[in-house]
Amino acid sequence: MEERDFYTESEQTFKANLNCPHCRQVAEYALRWAVRKKKDSLPPRANEQDRAKFAKFQSYMVRKDDMASCQNMRCRKRFEVSGIQSVVQL
Ligand SMILES: [Zn+2]
């Protein structure tokens, strides 16, 4: 079994304060995350090894947005999202 058999994935947005490196303005941005929630149980076809892996598996989410567009109308440049983890355990 693959790791993706262990979770159900859904997309959620969370707000974060980001600092534009071009104009230095801080604003609130909605970032998209892939939330990978551990399933309640494994399908019956799982073997010993799968069960051991599944027992250790923890829900987590992965940030999908790496770039943001500055909200300052006079700037509007794209910049890389930094200062926020790209993987978060749930
Ligand atoms: Zn800016």
Side-chain angles (χ1 to χ4, degrees), residues 5-47:
D5 294 315
F6 296 169
Y7 59 76
T8 45
E9 186 172 306
S10 60
E11 191 181 284
Q12 277 186 47
T13 49
F14 293 98
K15 287 179 179 158
N17 286 321
L18 298 176
N19 194 341
C20 172
H22 305 289
C23 66
R24 314 229 165 254
Q25 188 167 297
V26 177
E28 199 174 59
Y29 294 85
L31 300 177
R32 288 173 305 141
W33 293 76
V35 180
R36 296 174 173 174
K37 231 171 171 318
K38 187 176 182 175
K39 287 180 180 170
D40 293 331
S41 59
L42 275 177
R45 65 190 167 91
N47 61 28

Side-chain angles (χ1 to χ4, degrees), residues 20-25 29 70-72 75-77 79:
C20 172
H22 305 289
C23 66
R24 314 229 165 254
Q25 188 167 297
Y29 294 85
C70 184
Q71 289 175 8
N72 177 355
C75 173
R76 305 195 76 166
K77 289 193 177 113
F79 61 92

